[in-house]
Amino acid sequence: MSLYSEKVMDHFRNPRNVGVIENADGVGEVGNAKCGDIMKIYLKIDDDIITDVKFETFGCGSAIASSSMATELIKGKPVAEAMELTNKAVAEALDGLPAYKMHCSVLAEEAIKNALEDYYSKKAKES
């Protein structure tokens, strides 16, 4: 029996939405000093819909898989719906993570929420 699900392995080996969005509408970065994982999420938002999302992650396979899955879960969704994303939803979409790797899904949730908060603060400055 494998420690990781097929979905975790697939998103680790073939991560979706890797990269940078120049002039992103929102950027969120988080890190975990204990494990060394760092995630950065970039959002492009048009009419309150996330039209594009990219990530850069320095970390373990679970961190990369969590970033990849989290971006897939919010792409094309309204901002309000993306704000509701939980680490549990990310882990479930990956068919589970080992308990000691759940912090990776927490980082993905936090990075997205930070990017959305950045978007809201930029939007508030414009008005």
Side-chain angles (χ1 to χ4, degrees):
M1 186 175 132
S2 175
L3 187 61
Y4 297 106
S5 72
E6 282 298 317
K7 279 190 184 174
V8 170
M9 294 308 295
D10 182 41
H11 277 268
F12 166 64
R13 289 185 183 122
N14 308 294
R16 284 66 151 179
N17 307 308
V18 175
V20 176
I21 297 175
E22 296 298 329
N23 302 312
D25 296 311
V27 179
E29 186 170 7
V30 294
N32 181 320
K34 202 162 108 181
C35 70
D37 293 341
I38 300 168
M39 289 181 189
K40 196 166 188 177
I41 301 276
Y42 302 85
L43 301 174
K44 196 69 177 162
I45 300 169
D46 294 306
D47 294 324
D48 271 352
I49 301 292
I50 298 170
T51 55
D52 198 10
V53 56
K54 300 272 187 232
F55 78 91
E56 295 178 298
T57 293
F58 177 84
C60 67
S62 294
I64 293 165
S66 292
S67 302
S68 175
M69 180 56 83
T71 60
E72 287 287 278
L73 291 171
I74 66 166
K75 196 173 194 174
K77 300 280 194 281
V79 169
E81 195 175 319
M83 201 59 153
E84 301 296 313
L85 182 73
T86 65
N87 74 295
K88 189 174 181 227
V90 173
E92 285 175 0
L94 288 168
D95 292 337
L97 286 170
Y100 68 95
K101 290 293 185 180
M102 281 301 285
H103 69 276
C104 295
S105 62
V106 172
L107 286 175
E109 174 190 341
E110 290 173 351
I112 286 169
K113 289 190 174 161
N114 287 351
L116 289 167
E117 286 168 15
D118 182 49
Y119 164 70
Y120 282 126
S121 71
K122 287 176 181 175
K123 201 171 162 184
K125 287 177 187 169
E126 290 172 6
S127 23

PDB file of all heavy atoms in Angstrom, residues 94-121:
ATOM      1  N   LEU A  94      -7.622  15.289  -3.150  1.00  0.00           N
ATOM      2  CA  LEU A  94      -6.422  14.489  -3.427  1.00  0.00           C
ATOM      3  C   LEU A  94      -6.584  13.043  -2.944  1.00  0.00           C
ATOM      4  O   LEU A  94      -5.621  12.280  -2.961  1.00  0.00           O
ATOM      5  CB  LEU A  94      -5.203  15.117  -2.733  1.00  0.00           C
ATOM      6  CG  LEU A  94      -4.677  16.413  -3.335  1.00  0.00           C
ATOM      7  CD1 LEU A  94      -3.684  17.081  -2.393  1.00  0.00           C
ATOM      8  CD2 LEU A  94      -4.048  16.162  -4.695  1.00  0.00           C
ATOM      9  N   ASP A  95      -7.782  12.685  -2.520  1.00  0.00           N
ATOM     10  CA  ASP A  95      -8.052  11.357  -1.948  1.00  0.00           C
ATOM     11  C   ASP A  95      -7.235  11.116  -0.677  1.00  0.00           C
ATOM     12  O   ASP A  95      -6.815  10.004  -0.398  1.00  0.00           O
ATOM     13  CB  ASP A  95      -7.811  10.231  -2.966  1.00  0.00           C
ATOM     14  CG  ASP A  95      -8.831  10.254  -4.097  1.00  0.00           C
ATOM     15  OD1 ASP A  95      -9.932  10.807  -3.896  1.00  0.00           O
ATOM     16  OD2 ASP A  95      -8.509   9.738  -5.187  1.00  0.00           O
ATOM     17  N   GLY A  96      -7.008  12.205   0.059  1.00  0.00           N
ATOM     18  CA  GLY A  96      -6.362  12.108   1.365  1.00  0.00           C
ATOM     19  C   GLY A  96      -4.870  12.383   1.349  1.00  0.00           C
ATOM     20  O   GLY A  96      -4.213  12.227   0.326  1.00  0.00           O
ATOM     21  N   LEU A  97      -4.403  12.833   2.512  1.00  0.00           N
ATOM     22  CA  LEU A  97      -2.977  13.039   2.758  1.00  0.00           C
ATOM     23  C   LEU A  97      -2.647  12.362   4.083  1.00  0.00           C
ATOM     24  O   LEU A  97      -3.503  12.313   4.968  1.00  0.00           O
ATOM     25  CB  LEU A  97      -2.655  14.536   2.888  1.00  0.00           C
ATOM     26  CG  LEU A  97      -2.655  15.391   1.628  1.00  0.00           C
ATOM     27  CD1 LEU A  97      -2.567  16.868   1.988  1.00  0.00           C
ATOM     28  CD2 LEU A  97      -1.498  15.001   0.712  1.00  0.00           C
ATOM     29  N   PRO A  98      -1.428  11.881   4.241  1.00  0.00           N
ATOM     30  CA  PRO A  98      -1.051  11.342   5.558  1.00  0.00           C
ATOM     31  C   PRO A  98      -1.208  12.448   6.612  1.00  0.00           C
ATOM     32  O   PRO A  98      -0.992  13.629   6.305  1.00  0.00           O
ATOM     33  CB  PRO A  98       0.423  10.964   5.379  1.00  0.00           C
ATOM     34  CG  PRO A  98       0.629  10.843   3.906  1.00  0.00           C
ATOM     35  CD  PRO A  98      -0.334  11.792   3.266  1.00  0.00           C
ATOM     36  N   ALA A  99      -1.559  12.090   7.818  1.00  0.00           N
ATOM     37  CA  ALA A  99      -1.812  13.070   8.883  1.00  0.00           C
ATOM     38  C   ALA A  99      -0.650  14.045   9.057  1.00  0.00           C
ATOM     39  O   ALA A  99      -0.872  15.246   9.222  1.00  0.00           O
ATOM     40  CB  ALA A  99      -2.110  12.353  10.192  1.00  0.00           C
ATOM     41  N   TYR A 100       0.561  13.548   8.975  1.00  0.00           N
ATOM     42  CA  TYR A 100       1.713  14.428   9.185  1.00  0.00           C
ATOM     43  C   TYR A 100       2.011  15.329   7.975  1.00  0.00           C
ATOM     44  O   TYR A 100       2.927  16.153   8.027  1.00  0.00           O
ATOM     45  CB  TYR A 100       2.967  13.620   9.579  1.00  0.00           C
ATOM     46  CG  TYR A 100       3.524  12.736   8.498  1.00  0.00           C
ATOM     47  CD1 TYR A 100       4.555  13.170   7.681  1.00  0.00           C
ATOM     48  CD2 TYR A 100       3.020  11.455   8.298  1.00  0.00           C
ATOM     49  CE1 TYR A 100       5.073  12.361   6.687  1.00  0.00           C
ATOM     50  CE2 TYR A 100       3.524  10.636   7.304  1.00  0.00           C
ATOM     51  CZ  TYR A 100       4.552  11.098   6.507  1.00  0.00           C
ATOM     52  OH  TYR A 100       5.060  10.291   5.517  1.00  0.00           O
ATOM     53  N   LYS A 101       1.222  15.211   6.913  1.00  0.00           N
ATOM     54  CA  LYS A 101       1.365  16.066   5.732  1.00  0.00           C
ATOM     55  C   LYS A 101       0.158  16.991   5.541  1.00  0.00           C
ATOM     56  O   LYS A 101       0.107  17.755   4.582  1.00  0.00           O
ATOM     57  CB  LYS A 101       1.562  15.216   4.462  1.00  0.00           C
ATOM     58  CG  LYS A 101       2.910  14.529   4.403  1.00  0.00           C
ATOM     59  CD  LYS A 101       4.029  15.545   4.263  1.00  0.00           C
ATOM     60  CE  LYS A 101       5.370  14.897   4.082  1.00  0.00           C
ATOM     61  NZ  LYS A 101       6.445  15.891   3.944  1.00  0.00           N
ATOM     62  N   MET A 102      -0.794  16.946   6.449  1.00  0.00           N
ATOM     63  CA  MET A 102      -1.990  17.802   6.323  1.00  0.00           C
ATOM     64  C   MET A 102      -1.629  19.286   6.331  1.00  0.00           C
ATOM     65  O   MET A 102      -2.340  20.103   5.751  1.00  0.00           O
ATOM     66  CB  MET A 102      -2.999  17.507   7.434  1.00  0.00           C
ATOM     67  CG  MET A 102      -3.836  16.264   7.185  1.00  0.00           C
ATOM     68  SD  MET A 102      -4.813  16.316   5.660  1.00  0.00           S
ATOM     69  CE  MET A 102      -6.115  17.451   6.155  1.00  0.00           C
ATOM     70  N   HIS A 103      -0.514  19.642   6.973  1.00  0.00           N
ATOM     71  CA  HIS A 103      -0.109  21.056   6.988  1.00  0.00           C
ATOM     72  C   HIS A 103       0.109  21.593   5.576  1.00  0.00           C
ATOM     73  O   HIS A 103      -0.017  22.787   5.349  1.00  0.00           O
ATOM     74  CB  HIS A 103       1.148  21.259   7.849  1.00  0.00           C
ATOM     75  CG  HIS A 103       2.382  20.664   7.263  1.00  0.00           C
ATOM     76  ND1 HIS A 103       2.718  19.336   7.430  1.00  0.00           N
ATOM     77  CD2 HIS A 103       3.363  21.207   6.505  1.00  0.00           C
ATOM     78  CE1 HIS A 103       3.860  19.099   6.786  1.00  0.00           C
ATOM     79  NE2 HIS A 103       4.271  20.211   6.227  1.00  0.00           N
ATOM     80  N   CYS A 104       0.407  20.722   4.620  1.00  0.00           N
ATOM     81  CA  CYS A 104       0.597  21.151   3.235  1.00  0.00           C
ATOM     82  C   CYS A 104      -0.712  21.683   2.644  1.00  0.00           C
ATOM     83  O   CYS A 104      -0.722  22.701   1.945  1.00  0.00           O
ATOM     84  CB  CYS A 104       1.123  20.000   2.387  1.00  0.00           C
ATOM     85  SG  CYS A 104       2.766  19.441   2.875  1.00  0.00           S
ATOM     86  N   SER A 105      -1.821  21.007   2.960  1.00  0.00           N
ATOM     87  CA  SER A 105      -3.116  21.487   2.471  1.00  0.00           C
ATOM     88  C   SER A 105      -3.508  22.779   3.187  1.00  0.00           C
ATOM     89  O   SER A 105      -4.160  23.643   2.606  1.00  0.00           O
ATOM     90  CB  SER A 105      -4.200  20.411   2.619  1.00  0.00           C
ATOM     91  OG  SER A 105      -4.400  20.071   3.976  1.00  0.00           O
ATOM     92  N   VAL A 106      -3.084  22.935   4.441  1.00  0.00           N
ATOM     93  CA  VAL A 106      -3.338  24.178   5.181  1.00  0.00           C
ATOM     94  C   VAL A 106      -2.589  25.326   4.518  1.00  0.00           C
ATOM     95  O   VAL A 106      -3.144  26.423   4.337  1.00  0.00           O
ATOM     96  CB  VAL A 106      -2.930  24.032   6.672  1.00  0.00           C
ATOM     97  CG1 VAL A 106      -2.998  25.371   7.388  1.00  0.00           C
ATOM     98  CG2 VAL A 106      -3.811  23.007   7.375  1.00  0.00           C
ATOM     99  N   LEU A 107      -1.346  25.090   4.119  1.00  0.00           N
ATOM    100  CA  LEU A 107      -0.576  26.134   3.433  1.00  0.00           C
ATOM    101  C   LEU A 107      -1.251  26.553   2.131  1.00  0.00           C
ATOM    102  O   LEU A 107      -1.300  27.747   1.811  1.00  0.00           O
ATOM    103  CB  LEU A 107       0.848  25.655   3.144  1.00  0.00           C
ATOM    104  CG  LEU A 107       1.804  25.574   4.322  1.00  0.00           C
ATOM    105  CD1 LEU A 107       3.134  24.956   3.888  1.00  0.00           C
ATOM    106  CD2 LEU A 107       2.045  26.936   4.939  1.00  0.00           C
ATOM    107  N   ALA A 108      -1.777  25.593   1.381  1.00  0.00           N
ATOM    108  CA  ALA A 108      -2.458  25.913   0.122  1.00  0.00           C
ATOM    109  C   ALA A 108      -3.678  26.793   0.381  1.00  0.00           C
ATOM    110  O   ALA A 108      -3.893  27.794  -0.314  1.00  0.00           O
ATOM    111  CB  ALA A 108      -2.858  24.625  -0.607  1.00  0.00           C
ATOM    112  N   GLU A 109      -4.477  26.446   1.396  1.00  0.00           N
ATOM    113  CA  GLU A 109      -5.644  27.260   1.753  1.00  0.00           C
ATOM    114  C   GLU A 109      -5.203  28.667   2.143  1.00  0.00           C
ATOM    115  O   GLU A 109      -5.768  29.661   1.674  1.00  0.00           O
ATOM    116  CB  GLU A 109      -6.402  26.616   2.922  1.00  0.00           C
ATOM    117  CG  GLU A 109      -7.534  27.477   3.442  1.00  0.00           C
ATOM    118  CD  GLU A 109      -8.158  26.979   4.742  1.00  0.00           C
ATOM    119  OE1 GLU A 109      -7.983  25.788   5.096  1.00  0.00           O
ATOM    120  OE2 GLU A 109      -8.816  27.786   5.411  1.00  0.00           O
ATOM    121  N   GLU A 110      -4.190  28.770   2.987  1.00  0.00           N
ATOM    122  CA  GLU A 110      -3.722  30.076   3.459  1.00  0.00           C
ATOM    123  C   GLU A 110      -3.161  30.925   2.325  1.00  0.00           C
ATOM    124  O   GLU A 110      -3.400  32.137   2.276  1.00  0.00           O
ATOM    125  CB  GLU A 110      -2.663  29.898   4.549  1.00  0.00           C
ATOM    126  CG  GLU A 110      -3.227  29.375   5.850  1.00  0.00           C
ATOM    127  CD  GLU A 110      -2.148  29.035   6.882  1.00  0.00           C
ATOM    128  OE1 GLU A 110      -0.937  29.037   6.543  1.00  0.00           O
ATOM    129  OE2 GLU A 110      -2.540  28.777   8.036  1.00  0.00           O
ATOM    130  N   ALA A 111      -2.423  30.319   1.398  1.00  0.00           N
ATOM    131  CA  ALA A 111      -1.850  31.061   0.274  1.00  0.00           C
ATOM    132  C   ALA A 111      -2.955  31.641  -0.607  1.00  0.00           C
ATOM    133  O   ALA A 111      -2.876  32.796  -1.036  1.00  0.00           O
ATOM    134  CB  ALA A 111      -0.925  30.164  -0.547  1.00  0.00           C
ATOM    135  N   ILE A 112      -3.997  30.851  -0.857  1.00  0.00           N
ATOM    136  CA  ILE A 112      -5.120  31.336  -1.664  1.00  0.00           C
ATOM    137  C   ILE A 112      -5.843  32.466  -0.939  1.00  0.00           C
ATOM    138  O   ILE A 112      -6.146  33.505  -1.531  1.00  0.00           O
ATOM    139  CB  ILE A 112      -6.069  30.177  -2.027  1.00  0.00           C
ATOM    140  CG1 ILE A 112      -5.408  29.319  -3.102  1.00  0.00           C
ATOM    141  CG2 ILE A 112      -7.435  30.694  -2.481  1.00  0.00           C
ATOM    142  CD1 ILE A 112      -6.068  28.019  -3.403  1.00  0.00           C
ATOM    143  N   LYS A 113      -6.087  32.297   0.339  1.00  0.00           N
ATOM    144  CA  LYS A 113      -6.777  33.353   1.101  1.00  0.00           C
ATOM    145  C   LYS A 113      -5.938  34.623   1.166  1.00  0.00           C
ATOM    146  O   LYS A 113      -6.477  35.725   1.051  1.00  0.00           O
ATOM    147  CB  LYS A 113      -7.175  32.831   2.477  1.00  0.00           C
ATOM    148  CG  LYS A 113      -8.308  31.819   2.317  1.00  0.00           C
ATOM    149  CD  LYS A 113      -8.966  31.405   3.587  1.00  0.00           C
ATOM    150  CE  LYS A 113     -10.162  30.503   3.222  1.00  0.00           C
ATOM    151  NZ  LYS A 113     -10.620  29.696   4.296  1.00  0.00           N
ATOM    152  N   ASN A 114      -4.625  34.487   1.292  1.00  0.00           N
ATOM    153  CA  ASN A 114      -3.755  35.660   1.277  1.00  0.00           C
ATOM    154  C   ASN A 114      -3.794  36.364  -0.078  1.00  0.00           C
ATOM    155  O   ASN A 114      -3.798  37.594  -0.142  1.00  0.00           O
ATOM    156  CB  ASN A 114      -2.313  35.276   1.624  1.00  0.00           C
ATOM    157  CG  ASN A 114      -2.130  34.936   3.086  1.00  0.00           C
ATOM    158  OD1 ASN A 114      -3.024  35.125   3.908  1.00  0.00           O
ATOM    159  ND2 ASN A 114      -0.962  34.418   3.433  1.00  0.00           N
ATOM    160  N   ALA A 115      -3.822  35.581  -1.159  1.00  0.00           N
ATOM    161  CA  ALA A 115      -3.904  36.166  -2.498  1.00  0.00           C
ATOM    162  C   ALA A 115      -5.236  36.897  -2.683  1.00  0.00           C
ATOM    163  O   ALA A 115      -5.277  37.981  -3.282  1.00  0.00           O
ATOM    164  CB  ALA A 115      -3.730  35.085  -3.565  1.00  0.00           C
ATOM    165  N   LEU A 116      -6.314  36.329  -2.171  1.00  0.00           N
ATOM    166  CA  LEU A 116      -7.624  36.975  -2.269  1.00  0.00           C
ATOM    167  C   LEU A 116      -7.670  38.245  -1.417  1.00  0.00           C
ATOM    168  O   LEU A 116      -8.230  39.269  -1.840  1.00  0.00           O
ATOM    169  CB  LEU A 116      -8.735  36.008  -1.858  1.00  0.00           C
ATOM    170  CG  LEU A 116      -8.984  34.872  -2.853  1.00  0.00           C
ATOM    171  CD1 LEU A 116      -9.851  33.786  -2.233  1.00  0.00           C
ATOM    172  CD2 LEU A 116      -9.609  35.391  -4.144  1.00  0.00           C
ATOM    173  N   GLU A 117      -7.054  38.210  -0.247  1.00  0.00           N
ATOM    174  CA  GLU A 117      -6.987  39.418   0.594  1.00  0.00           C
ATOM    175  C   GLU A 117      -6.174  40.506  -0.101  1.00  0.00           C
ATOM    176  O   GLU A 117      -6.524  41.683  -0.051  1.00  0.00           O
ATOM    177  CB  GLU A 117      -6.396  39.078   1.965  1.00  0.00           C
ATOM    178  CG  GLU A 117      -7.372  38.321   2.843  1.00  0.00           C
ATOM    179  CD  GLU A 117      -6.728  37.712   4.088  1.00  0.00           C
ATOM    180  OE1 GLU A 117      -5.587  38.088   4.435  1.00  0.00           O
ATOM    181  OE2 GLU A 117      -7.390  36.859   4.710  1.00  0.00           O
ATOM    182  N   ASP A 118      -5.099  40.118  -0.782  1.00  0.00           N
ATOM    183  CA  ASP A 118      -4.292  41.061  -1.549  1.00  0.00           C
ATOM    184  C   ASP A 118      -5.139  41.685  -2.662  1.00  0.00           C
ATOM    185  O   ASP A 118      -5.099  42.901  -2.886  1.00  0.00           O
ATOM    186  CB  ASP A 118      -3.069  40.343  -2.133  1.00  0.00           C
ATOM    187  CG  ASP A 118      -2.144  41.266  -2.907  1.00  0.00           C
ATOM    188  OD1 ASP A 118      -1.798  42.341  -2.377  1.00  0.00           O
ATOM    189  OD2 ASP A 118      -1.739  40.907  -4.030  1.00  0.00           O
ATOM    190  N   TYR A 119      -5.913  40.866  -3.348  1.00  0.00           N
ATOM    191  CA  TYR A 119      -6.816  41.341  -4.394  1.00  0.00           C
ATOM    192  C   TYR A 119      -7.804  42.364  -3.837  1.00  0.00           C
ATOM    193  O   TYR A 119      -7.984  43.445  -4.403  1.00  0.00           O
ATOM    194  CB  TYR A 119      -7.560  40.150  -5.012  1.00  0.00           C
ATOM    195  CG  TYR A 119      -8.786  40.522  -5.814  1.00  0.00           C
ATOM    196  CD1 TYR A 119      -8.669  41.177  -7.039  1.00  0.00           C
ATOM    197  CD2 TYR A 119     -10.064  40.208  -5.352  1.00  0.00           C
ATOM    198  CE1 TYR A 119      -9.794  41.520  -7.779  1.00  0.00           C
ATOM    199  CE2 TYR A 119     -11.190  40.539  -6.087  1.00  0.00           C
ATOM    200  CZ  TYR A 119     -11.054  41.202  -7.294  1.00  0.00           C
ATOM    201  OH  TYR A 119     -12.172  41.535  -8.018  1.00  0.00           O
ATOM    202  N   TYR A 120      -8.433  42.025  -2.694  1.00  0.00           N
ATOM    203  CA  TYR A 120      -9.403  42.940  -2.085  1.00  0.00           C
ATOM    204  C   TYR A 120      -8.747  44.243  -1.660  1.00  0.00           C
ATOM    205  O   TYR A 120      -9.335  45.315  -1.812  1.00  0.00           O
ATOM    206  CB  TYR A 120     -10.100  42.285  -0.893  1.00  0.00           C
ATOM    207  CG  TYR A 120     -11.194  41.316  -1.265  1.00  0.00           C
ATOM    208  CD1 TYR A 120     -11.197  40.011  -0.786  1.00  0.00           C
ATOM    209  CD2 TYR A 120     -12.228  41.692  -2.115  1.00  0.00           C
ATOM    210  CE1 TYR A 120     -12.188  39.109  -1.126  1.00  0.00           C
ATOM    211  CE2 TYR A 120     -13.235  40.802  -2.474  1.00  0.00           C
ATOM    212  CZ  TYR A 120     -13.213  39.521  -1.980  1.00  0.00           C
ATOM    213  OH  TYR A 120     -14.206  38.639  -2.319  1.00  0.00           O
ATOM    214  N   SER A 121      -7.540  44.189  -1.121  1.00  0.00           N
ATOM    215  CA  SER A 121      -6.882  45.429  -0.685  1.00  0.00           C
ATOM    216  C   SER A 121      -6.506  46.302  -1.874  1.00  0.00           C
ATOM    217  O   SER A 121      -6.644  47.523  -1.811  1.00  0.00           O
ATOM    218  CB  SER A 121      -5.664  45.133   0.199  1.00  0.00           C
ATOM    219  OG  SER A 121      -4.617  44.593  -0.543  1.00  0.00           O
TER     220      SER A 121
END
